[in-house]
Amino acid sequence: MDLANIVGTITAITTMVLCVRSNVSGLSIIQCPGKVLIKPAPVFLVGSNISITCVSMEQNCNISKFELHTNEKKIQMELFNKTAAHYWMVNVTTQDSTIFCYVECVDGERMFLSAASLQSGYPPDQPKDLICIWRYNNMTCTWTAGKQTLLKTYYSIHVQNEITGNKQMFSTTFPTTSNVTVPGDKLEKVSLYKVWVQAANALGSATSKDLTFSIHDIVKPDPPNITKVEFINNSVAKTIIHWRNSTSAKCRFELRYRITSDPGVSWTLVGKNAFHINGNSGHFHNWQPFKEYEFQIRCSLVQNNNYWSDWSKSFIKKTPEAVPVGGLDVWSFCEPVEPNKHRKIIIYWKPLRPQETRGMILGYHIFYRHNGLEVTIQVCNVSETRYSWRTLWAPDHIFISAFNSKGNSTPAVLHIGEANMMAPRNLMVAPAGDSGIYVKWEPPDETSEPVLGYVVDWRDAVGSNNQLFVWKRIPRDNHSLFIGQIFSPQEHGAERRSIRPRRRYNISVTAMYQKGPGRSCSAQGYSVEGRPTTGPNISVIKFAGRQVQLKWGEIPLEKQQGFITNYTIYLKKGADGSYLVPRYVTNADVRTYWLTLDIDTVYIVHMTATTAAGEGAKGAETTIKQDYYSIALPLQLSMGITIPAAFLLTLTFAKTVRRRIKTICKMFLPDWAHEEFPNVENSLVAKRLQIIEEVPCLQSAVLLMYKDPPVTEIEEMLLPINSLIQTVHGNQQLEQTTFEISIPDVPEAHNCDLSEPNEDAETIGYKPQISSSCQLANLSRNGDQSVQKAGSDQAKECKGLHTPTFDRIDEIPTIGVTEDMNISLSCCQNGIPDKYNNYILKKDEGQFPVDEHHRMYVTEGLFQEQTLLPDELVNCLLHSEEDSIDIKSYFPQIVAI
């Protein structure tokens, strides 16, 4: 039921309720106390002017006014006379409406008179495109009705036999229906018919053009049914279609297909010359690997060119796989060399486009070539788009390919490292709203190789290198990029996810050359900046009188939400909570600030950071109190440490004080604790000999060859006489040790008698310990010399002693030596000075014990040796009749004598 019927029904029900029911001759008649007159008619053309007249037939009402109710509006009508009123409606476009007439009596009573329904619409258009088809033993005619009439419009088919002249009419079942089915038994198949359509409604009627045909001309065959599709991949891709046809008549066929993965692609019709038919099968040469195709076929009778059958049901099948085509889009990121010398290379790639996969991608093969062989680095899963490789050695090129069941794609070449080529210049990064970032740069300066293109990459600055990494290749003539712009469907997800507002991104632009990527230029940027979500945390690091030094750390990058331009320090007194004048730190790189505060006052301080979007949230509050003890106590501690330290330093560096302290220490410490072993090179003896050049040969040799051996403690021990006595011939001389050394003339040695010390003798540097029984070393240039004989009593006394043997260094070559030097042991106990030119170092009685015996020798290497022997053994050696043994005495330091 349409809207007009509904409105009419409601109007009728309302009229029945308001009007009076009466019985006349047994019939129930609805009588209203008035009526409504509508001109030109209750059904009218849209936009017409309508005259409405309400007439009252009520005798018991003295009418004062008429009212017209329409669309919940009350309209006061113009009175004609006491029983009628009029109202004029202009340009009525309302499709369906109902009007009600009321009268109001003088006594105030209100009465309903009558109601009427108004309908506006259009007359029907002429039906067009009349088509009649014979199918399933019936004739179905369809047409195009034209615009809507807004009224009840009925259509009917008129069929006239051209031979007999008989006419038949077949109406539609419902209004506005645009097809009619004529039963086959009402028609004769051999006759010629003329058919037309007639439309009619309350505003008029229209008739279509005639259609003349025979039943044979309007036959439409049933569609074929596709049973099988084959794909042959030989030298040329070939598709074979098999079908089954329901009619035995000779037909012609048409085939169409499309790829189901892209619904926006329209059907492709295979031309009759490209579709080669053989019975109920046909083939054509075209298909793409690993695509899902949808096929449909239709037919028409050869002897009738009027109608094709409907398209058959779709037959869907996927084509087989093939080797992938094209290459992967690859990029890399090299991290700094690790401490263990391993190099980390992160390899990125983008999946192939759907038209390039030509099959189901199973994974990615990463390899390099060495000596003509492929060395696999890793085989990655199909879901992976990155690989991190740690290696001690990296090849110059890495190759990456995608593979399916049929083979590998063309390897993409990845240049490791960067060529020593110029980078782009003047990189500029600007925010471009929430949707992206605008990047612009200038090409590199003129280089020896032309620039092939650019690669722009960006990553989230927060976190590690595992964050999302996106890159895009740009032609050489383009010098800008809007990050976030969508270029293809597969880039949509990655790029939209990669740009988020209030997030910092590291952006780099790299110039590409024939040898590989050149140097890059980098910058940071935001799509849109925000206010910091927190402020810096403050700490107090130093007090200096009334001044306090504050320090704060950097706000975490993810909470900055922009580039910080300045900091603001807010300070308030804790007593009354009043804020002081804020302090502004305009240099965002500064992390410290000095404040001057009152003593014994509590302050509360906090900071905020500001970006281009405005001032952010405040940081944690810190309480500061600068009291008296915080100033006095550090001062007292510093004074307590400084004064004793100054006193100790004065004692340390004052020479007279050191001497007094040393003298006091000597009184309580043993002798060995304060013995001195000076450096002979710095001794006064060596310096004086250098000045007077008395012994140039020895002097130069000592300075060149000296090396202070470690000091060895030698313990003196008196051996029993019975074990040391050895037979010595009284007049026999000791065998002299001969040294090949040239000694220049030297002055006479000083007297070494301890009982009568020579006042002119000067004690210089280290004084070797010389026994009182033998203190003089005789140096001679006259060849062999004998040791003076002692008395016979003394010789006899020593014959029972065993003399230990001391090895010496024999035949040591000397520097610039032409003569031999003999060292003789002589006893100077009687104070007899040596008649030869000798050198002697005196023994200080106050420094060494009296019972020690020391001997000093000069050997070929300019080494001085020291022998510690008991007096008895020394006397025996001096008066022994046997040949003396070679002696190598220990002497820890070298003295130039």
Side-chain angles (χ1 to χ4, degrees):
M1 182 179 294
D2 57 6
L3 182 60
N5 294 332
I6 295 175
V7 172
T9 303
I10 294 175
T11 303
I13 294 173
T14 304
T15 304
M16 292 174 63
V17 171
L18 297 177
C19 295
V20 178
R21 182 184 300 272
S22 61
N23 293 323
V24 178
S25 301
L27 298 176
S28 179
I29 302 173
I30 298 176
Q31 294 181 351
C32 293
K35 60 182 179 179
V36 179
L37 301 178
I38 300 174
K39 293 183 179 180
V43 181
F44 51 87
L45 186 66
V46 175
S48 300
N49 298 330
I50 300 173
S51 174
I52 301 176
T53 303
C54 291
V55 179
S56 175
M57 293 180 292
E58 179 63 38
Q59 301 295 329
N60 299 325
C61 176
N62 189 8
I63 300 173
S64 63
K65 63 179 180 180
F66 283 83
E67 288 183 354
L68 183 65
H69 292 193
T70 175
N71 296 332
E72 299 181 356
K73 293 171 59 178
K74 295 181 180 180
I75 302 173
Q76 189 170 355
M77 304 181 70
E78 182 181 357
L79 291 173
F80 278 165
N81 50 41
K82 293 182 179 181
T83 60
H86 176 266
Y87 179 73
W88 185 261
M89 298 181 69
V90 180
N91 192 19
V92 180
T93 59
T94 304
Q95 295 181 13
D96 293 291
S97 62
T98 302
I99 58 175
F100 301 91
C101 286
Y102 290 88
V103 294
E104 185 175 341
C105 302
V106 175
D107 57 3
E109 183 182 2
R110 190 168 178 271
M111 300 177 59
F112 171 74
L113 296 181
S114 183
S117 176
L118 301 179
Q119 285 186 321
S120 64
Y122 299 95
D125 291 339
Q126 181 184 20
K128 296 180 179 179
D129 302 326
L130 176 61
I131 298 176
C132 294
I133 297 174
W134 181 271
R135 192 177 183 185
Y136 305 121
N137 204 29
N138 291 319
M139 184 181 72
T140 302
C141 296
T142 60
W143 61 88
T144 302
K147 70 175 183 293
Q148 264 189 321
T149 62
L150 305 178
L151 301 173
K152 291 183 179 180
T153 304
Y154 297 92
Y155 295 88
S156 58
I157 288 289
H158 297 264
V159 180
Q160 181 178 357
N161 192 325
E162 290 293 298
I163 299 176
T164 62
N166 294 333
K167 293 183 180 180
Q168 301 180 76
M169 185 182 71
F170 303 91
S171 300
T172 57
T173 305
F174 301 100
T176 67
T177 303
S178 59
N179 64 80
V180 172
T181 299
V182 178
D185 55 359
K186 301 291 184 178
L187 303 174
E188 297 178 5
K189 295 183 180 179
V190 296
S191 298
L192 188 66
Y193 291 93
K194 182 171 70 173
V195 180
W196 66 91
V197 180
Q198 187 177 19
N201 62 15
L203 297 178
S205 63
T207 304
S208 69
K209 294 181 177 181
D210 296 342
L211 183 65
T212 302
F213 55 83
S214 64
I215 299 299
H216 181 75
D217 295 334
I218 62 173
V219 173
K220 182 179 181 179
D222 296 332
N225 185 23
I226 299 177
T227 58
K228 184 180 179 181
V229 175
E230 297 180 275
F231 300 102
I232 308 300
N233 189 14
N234 294 328
S235 58
V236 179
K238 182 178 180 181
T239 303
I240 303 176
I241 310 294
H242 300 269
W243 64 85
R244 183 175 59 251
N245 196 8
S246 60
T247 179
S248 58
K250 190 174 182 180
C251 299
R252 57 178 179 269
F253 299 90
E254 280 187 348
L255 179 71
R256 66 178 184 179
Y257 65 89
R258 65 180 176 183
I259 300 175
T260 59
S261 59
D262 190 357
V265 177
S266 59
W267 290 93
T268 300
L269 183 66
V270 180
K272 63 179 181 179
N273 295 329
F275 191 40
H276 306 281
I277 300 175
N278 183 13
N280 288 336
S281 66
H283 69 272
F284 65 99
H285 299 282
N286 186 21
W287 57 269
Q288 297 180 22
F290 205 66
K291 298 291 183 181
E292 190 176 68
Y293 280 85
E294 180 180 4
F295 298 94
Q296 289 181 350
I297 193 171
R298 67 178 181 176
C299 67
S300 68
L301 300 176
V302 173
Q303 57 183 343
N304 182 7
N305 295 328
N306 291 334
Y307 300 107
W308 286 90
S309 69
D310 294 333
W311 289 103
S312 65
K313 294 181 180 180
S314 297
F315 190 95
I316 299 175
K317 188 173 182 180
K318 203 168 195 176
T319 57
E321 295 185 356
V323 176
V325 296
L328 295 169
D329 187 3
V330 297
W331 194 238
S332 67
F333 177 78
C334 297
E335 292 187 355
V337 179
E338 298 176 353
N340 56 2
K341 304 302 182 182
H342 279 80
R343 187 178 185 184
K344 185 177 180 181
I345 304 173
I346 304 177
I347 304 170
Y348 299 89
W349 61 88
K350 294 180 181 179
L352 292 173
R353 293 188 292 270
Q355 60 269 25
E356 295 175 341
T357 59
R358 308 210 315 170
M360 183 178 293
I361 298 298
L362 303 178
Y364 302 94
H365 185 208
I366 305 174
F367 63 94
Y368 65 90
R369 290 172 180 160
H370 183 66
N371 295 332
L373 300 176
E374 290 187 1
V375 180
T376 299
I377 298 175
Q378 182 69 18
V379 177
C380 297
N381 192 283
V382 65
S383 61
E384 297 179 276
T385 56
R386 64 185 296 272
Y387 176 71
S388 180
W389 185 32
R390 284 181 172 86
T391 179
L392 289 172
W393 171 85
D396 294 334
H397 301 90
I398 294 178
F399 302 90
I400 309 172
S401 62
F403 63 90
N404 59 16
S405 61
K406 297 297 183 179
N408 295 300
S409 65
T410 304
V413 182
L414 186 62
H415 300 269
I416 300 302
E418 62 180 24
N420 190 20
M421 306 298 290
M422 300 295 293
R425 299 178 294 113
N426 301 329
L427 176 61
M428 183 193 72
V429 176
D434 293 345
S435 59
I437 301 174
Y438 181 72
V439 182
K440 185 178 180 181
W441 64 92
E442 294 181 4
D445 293 332
E446 293 185 3
T447 58
S448 58
E449 292 189 14
V451 177
L452 303 181
Y454 301 94
V455 174
V456 181
D457 61 74
W458 60 96
R459 68 174 65 227
D460 197 332
V462 179
S464 63
N465 292 323
N466 293 330
Q467 297 292 328
L468 181 66
F469 183 85
V470 188
W471 73 96
K472 187 179 294 297
R473 297 187 181 272
I474 306 297
R476 57 173 296 178
D477 296 331
N478 291 356
H479 301 135
S480 63
L481 176 66
F482 180 78
I483 298 176
Q485 182 178 356
I486 307 306
F487 289 88
S488 62
Q490 58 267 24
E491 294 175 343
H492 182 276
E495 294 209 16
R496 282 302 184 192
R497 289 194 306 268
S498 67
I499 299 299
R500 291 184 292 171
R502 297 175 293 281
R503 298 284 291 188
R504 184 177 296 185
Y505 294 94
N506 296 327
I507 303 171
S508 298
V509 180
T510 306
M512 302 299 295
Y513 299 90
Q514 185 67 33
K515 296 180 180 179
R519 292 192 292 270
S520 303
C521 59
S522 302
Q524 291 184 323
Y526 288 86
S527 62
V528 62
E529 293 190 42
R531 299 180 181 181
T533 59
T534 185
N537 294 327
I538 306 176
S539 60
V540 179
I541 62 173
K542 187 180 295 184
F543 291 91
R546 294 178 56 191
Q547 289 189 327
V548 176
Q549 188 179 22
L550 304 180
K551 182 180 179 181
W552 60 89
E554 186 177 4
I555 300 175
L557 194 59
E558 63 273 12
K559 297 182 179 181
Q560 293 183 16
Q561 298 199 130
F563 296 108
I564 295 178
T565 57
N566 66 278
Y567 296 98
T568 305
I569 302 175
Y570 292 94
L571 192 68
K572 69 177 179 179
K573 290 185 178 181
D576 54 3
S578 60
Y579 277 95
L580 303 180
V581 177
R583 274 72 165 177
Y584 298 98
V585 182
T586 57
N587 187 354
D589 297 329
V590 173
R591 293 289 183 273
T592 59
Y593 190 83
W594 284 94
L595 288 175
T596 302
L597 306 177
D598 295 335
I599 298 175
D600 291 335
T601 303
V602 177
Y603 293 91
I604 300 175
V605 61
H606 71 269
M607 291 185 66
T608 62
T610 303
T611 63
E615 186 176 6
K618 71 177 185 178
E621 293 184 343
T622 301
T623 303
I624 304 174
K625 184 179 181 182
Q626 186 81 325
D627 56 11
Y628 172 78
Y629 293 101
S630 65
I631 300 175
L633 183 59
L635 181 60
Q636 294 171 359
L637 291 176
S638 62
M639 294 296 293
I641 296 173
T642 303
I643 293 175
F647 178 72
L648 292 176
L649 290 176
T650 303
L651 295 179
T652 303
F653 292 101
K655 186 174 183 181
T656 58
V657 176
R658 288 202 313 272
R659 288 179 179 176
R660 291 179 183 178
I661 295 175
K662 185 175 182 181
T663 303
I664 295 173
C665 292
K666 285 184 178 181
M667 296 173 60
F668 300 99
L669 296 176
D671 294 340
W672 60 266
H674 53 79
E675 283 186 351
E676 295 182 357
F677 295 89
N679 190 344
V680 180
E681 288 183 350
N682 298 326
S683 67
L684 295 176
V685 174
K687 293 179 180 179
R688 176 167 294 183
L689 291 178
Q690 293 177 13
I691 296 173
I692 64 177
E693 297 182 355
E694 293 179 342
V695 190
C697 181
L698 291 177
Q699 174 188 346
S700 60
V702 168
L703 296 177
L704 291 173
M705 302 181 61
Y706 167 69
K707 183 177 182 182
D708 194 2
V711 177
T712 305
E713 295 183 1
I714 299 177
E715 182 182 358
E716 179 181 0
M717 184 175 64
L718 296 176
L719 299 177
I721 298 176
N722 295 333
S723 63
L724 297 176
I725 296 176
Q726 188 177 17
T727 303
V728 180
H729 299 284
N731 297 327
Q732 187 174 359
Q733 296 180 343
L734 292 174
E735 182 180 0
Q736 305 297 316
T737 304
T738 303
F739 300 87
E740 295 180 2
I741 184 168
S742 175
I743 306 297
D745 294 334
V746 294
E748 185 177 3
H750 298 287
N751 192 343
C752 60
D753 191 353
L754 295 175
S755 63
E756 298 177 9
N758 188 358
E759 296 178 357
D760 298 330
E762 182 179 1
T763 302
I764 302 174
Y766 176 78
K767 295 175 280 295
Q769 300 168 352
I770 308 223
S771 175
S772 61
S773 61
C774 184
Q775 300 178 18
L776 180 63
N778 188 7
L779 304 179
S780 176
R781 300 174 58 187
N782 300 324
D784 297 336
Q785 261 191 331
S786 301
V787 180
Q788 296 180 359
K789 297 181 179 180
S792 61
D793 295 337
Q794 192 173 4
K796 292 178 181 181
E797 186 178 6
C798 296
K799 285 184 178 182
L801 295 175
H802 173 70
T803 304
T805 301
F806 298 89
D807 297 333
R808 67 177 179 86
I809 303 173
D810 296 333
E811 298 179 1
I812 299 177
T814 61
I815 303 172
V817 176
T818 58
E819 296 180 7
D820 296 338
M821 180 178 68
N822 298 326
I823 299 176
S824 300
L825 297 174
S826 62
C827 181
C828 56
Q829 194 171 15
N830 296 326
I832 303 174
D834 193 354
K835 63 182 178 180
Y836 298 101
N837 296 328
N838 301 322
Y839 288 93
I840 185 170
L841 295 179
K842 296 181 65 178
K843 176 178 179 294
D844 189 354
E845 288 183 2
Q847 185 175 357
F848 298 95
V850 178
D851 57 351
E852 291 181 359
H853 299 276
H854 305 271
R855 296 192 186 278
M856 186 275 298
Y857 296 92
V858 178
T859 62
E860 287 180 296
L862 296 184
F863 290 94
Q864 295 176 351
E865 298 181 349
Q866 173 178 293
T867 305
L868 302 177
L869 299 175
D871 292 342
E872 295 84 359
L873 183 56
V874 172
N875 293 333
C876 291
L877 293 175
L878 292 175
H879 298 89
S880 177
E881 295 178 357
E882 298 177 359
D883 295 338
S884 64
I885 61 175
D886 295 338
I887 298 174
K888 178 184 178 183
S889 301
Y890 173 78
F891 191 79
Q893 294 177 326
I894 298 174
V895 180
I897 58 175

